[in-house]
Amino acid sequence: MKLFIKISCCIAFVISLAFTAQAADIKIGVAEALTGPVAKYGVPIKNGFVLATEEINGAGGIKGNKIALVIEDEQAKKEEAINVFKKFIFQDKVLAIFGPTLSNSAFASDPFANAQKTVVFGTSNTAEGITAIGPYVFRNSVAEADILPIVINAATKKLGLKKVALFYGNDDSMTKSSHEIFLRAVNAEKLQVLTIQTFAKGDIDFSAQLTKIKSLNPDAVVCGALVEEASNIILQARKLGLPDKVRFIGGNGFNTPKLIQIAGKAAEGSLSGSPWFLDDPSPRNKAFVKAYTKKFGVAPDQFAAQAYDALYIMAEGIKAITISGNLEKDRTALRDSLAKVKNFKGVGGPFSFNEHRDAEQKGRVLTIKDGKFAVFAE
């Protein structure tokens, strides 16, 4: 009898081990800027991932396996982003990586992940050329090349723009890319470019460039800038007497409530583009906004929404493969299955990857009205 009990216990133990092995965690690396000025984008992105992970794991995970996020602060620095990627790939042995926050860092770190045949998925990288880095690079952030011409076209039609001033940061991949796209867009609309002014990252005094812009009496200022510089540019422009009727038009750096918090009333009327919108009445978006606000005490922004959708998109790719335990094989299988994700119903609307692993998603033109983002054109 004692022998029978011992054998039964052994069988139960083996079964338990087998079950534990089957229900292994799926490690996903999250490399975002969680400290410094760029944390304005990085923290909401991290929050979006955390919320989606809790929901997916709470619903039973993916085929019984739980997602385990490995979160690191890449500080919006190229070298740190590369170091974090190395840790994820060789030490943590993650299946895939989200991040980094800025396109500037992605151009440094993504080639490394691609060379190691590890999927890297950007949720906030909008500069031209990101997915051209290689076949393991994906993003669900709509490229500025797709959204900025729509913003310029809508502003030209609805505001009757004739002449504009361009202003951009000339030492950052994203802001330089924004400027090049904006320049092509205003030329396509046959707008007169009165002047092109530049600044460097970290500048705090823009009075010389803005005085020049004001003297030329533009209909709008088209601005390639991250939120820190963008907010100060708008504030200083209004203090110098640039009239409210002269709109500021921005790229991805404008798509955050931080612009409103820092620039206040000076930001009223500013224009930008985004697929996601806080007050989108779709049931999925309303549930997301409610859950996010309850958990983090603030409403989500575009960056949180894109991260939230990205984790569900990643889950769709993981569902379609069989985790073998051979990491190299599993990473390549994920790349192949992720590329096939089509018509995903996210909080930002229907989403698909195109043949270049870029986002296919409808964009909206947003304006700041009464201290909130509102739809300017669809």
Side-chain angles (χ1 to χ4, degrees):
M1 184 63 182
K2 286 182 180 179
L3 179 62
F4 174 76
I5 292 172
K6 284 182 179 178
I7 292 172
S8 298
C9 288
C10 286
I11 291 172
F13 180 66
V14 170
I15 291 173
S16 173
L17 282 178
F19 179 79
T20 302
Q22 287 177 346
D25 287 342
I26 300 170
K27 286 186 179 180
I28 306 290
V30 173
E32 302 295 344
L34 303 178
T35 56
V38 184
K40 294 179 178 64
Y41 305 110
V43 171
I45 291 171
K46 182 204 68 174
N47 291 346
F49 288 133
V50 169
L51 179 60
T53 298
E54 289 182 358
E55 290 179 355
I56 292 171
N57 287 345
I62 303 171
K63 298 179 180 176
N65 300 314
K66 299 296 178 67
I67 296 172
L69 298 181
V70 183
I71 301 173
E72 295 287 351
D73 180 8
E74 47 88 2
Q75 305 172 33
K77 297 176 181 175
K78 294 180 181 179
E79 299 78 11
E80 195 59 29
I82 295 171
N83 289 336
V84 169
F85 274 36
K86 287 180 179 176
K87 174 181 177 291
F88 284 159
I89 293 169
F90 298 127
Q91 182 179 323
D92 299 317
K93 300 186 184 304
V94 300
L95 179 62
I97 298 171
F98 283 117
T101 301
L102 297 183
S103 298
N104 213 34
S105 298
F107 282 120
S109 58
D110 286 11
F112 180 78
N114 188 71
Q116 297 301 321
K117 297 183 178 179
T118 302
V119 166
V120 55
F121 190 147
T123 67
S124 55
N125 308 142
T126 54
E128 287 188 299
I130 290 291
T131 58
I133 290 171
Y136 285 80
V137 183
F138 293 74
R139 65 177 167 186
N140 73 331
S141 41
V142 175
E144 294 206 309
D146 293 329
I147 192 74
L148 298 189
I150 296 172
V151 177
I152 293 294
N153 177 264
T156 300
K157 286 182 177 177
K158 295 190 70 170
L159 301 175
L161 301 184
K162 301 293 185 186
K163 53 188 188 302
V164 297
L166 270 63
F167 198 5
Y168 76 102
N170 62 2
D171 60 350
D172 179 89
S173 298
M174 194 281 278
T175 56
K176 286 195 293 185
S177 175
S178 293
H179 168 70
E180 290 165 4
I181 297 163
F182 270 138
L183 184 57
R184 291 200 298 268
V186 299
N187 286 335
E189 297 293 337
K190 302 187 185 307
L191 302 181
Q192 181 184 1
V193 177
L194 299 172
T195 183
I196 299 176
Q197 298 290 316
T198 63
F199 63 88
K201 196 180 295 181
D203 283 356
I204 57 173
D205 184 359
F206 307 97
S207 57
Q209 301 97 314
L210 290 169
T211 299
K212 171 73 174 179
I213 289 172
K214 181 189 173 190
S215 72
L216 296 171
N217 192 29
D219 296 326
V221 180
V222 181
C223 197
L226 295 173
V227 68
E228 196 78 20
E229 286 86 7
S231 303
N232 285 322
I233 286 169
I234 294 172
L235 272 172
Q236 290 178 28
R238 299 307 183 207
K239 287 180 180 176
L240 285 170
L242 198 69
D244 292 346
K245 68 177 182 179
V246 179
R247 302 287 190 105
F248 278 87
I249 302 173
N252 207 38
F254 276 47
N255 291 334
T256 166
K258 292 292 180 185
L259 187 78
I260 302 168
Q261 293 173 20
I262 298 171
K265 291 183 179 179
E268 287 284 306
S270 298
L271 298 171
S272 58
S274 169
W276 182 80
F277 174 53
L278 180 66
D279 294 324
D280 186 321
S282 73
R284 185 163 176 76
N285 184 59
K286 289 175 74 172
F288 161 66
V289 172
K290 182 179 179 180
Y292 186 100
T293 305
K294 181 180 180 181
K295 182 172 181 59
F296 300 108
V298 293
D301 62 11
Q302 174 210 341
F303 299 94
Q306 288 178 174
Y308 179 83
D309 272 354
L311 194 61
Y312 274 98
I313 292 168
M314 181 75 80
E316 290 292 306
I318 296 172
K319 281 179 195 172
I321 67 174
T322 300
I323 301 292
S324 69
N326 180 323
L327 197 53
E328 184 175 352
K329 180 181 175 183
D330 291 342
R331 285 169 173 169
T332 296
L334 175 60
R335 179 204 63 180
D336 295 342
S337 66
L338 200 56
K340 296 174 184 173
V341 172
K342 301 289 182 187
N343 299 315
F344 168 76
K345 304 294 190 298
V347 298
F351 172 89
S352 298
F353 284 115
N354 67 16
E355 67 272 25
H356 304 296
R357 304 167 311 285
D358 255 327
E360 278 189 350
Q361 197 167 33
K362 180 184 175 184
R364 293 178 165 118
V365 182
L366 304 177
T367 188
I368 296 174
K369 183 178 181 182
D370 299 327
K372 299 191 301 183
F373 283 100
V375 174
F376 179 79
E378 290 194 87

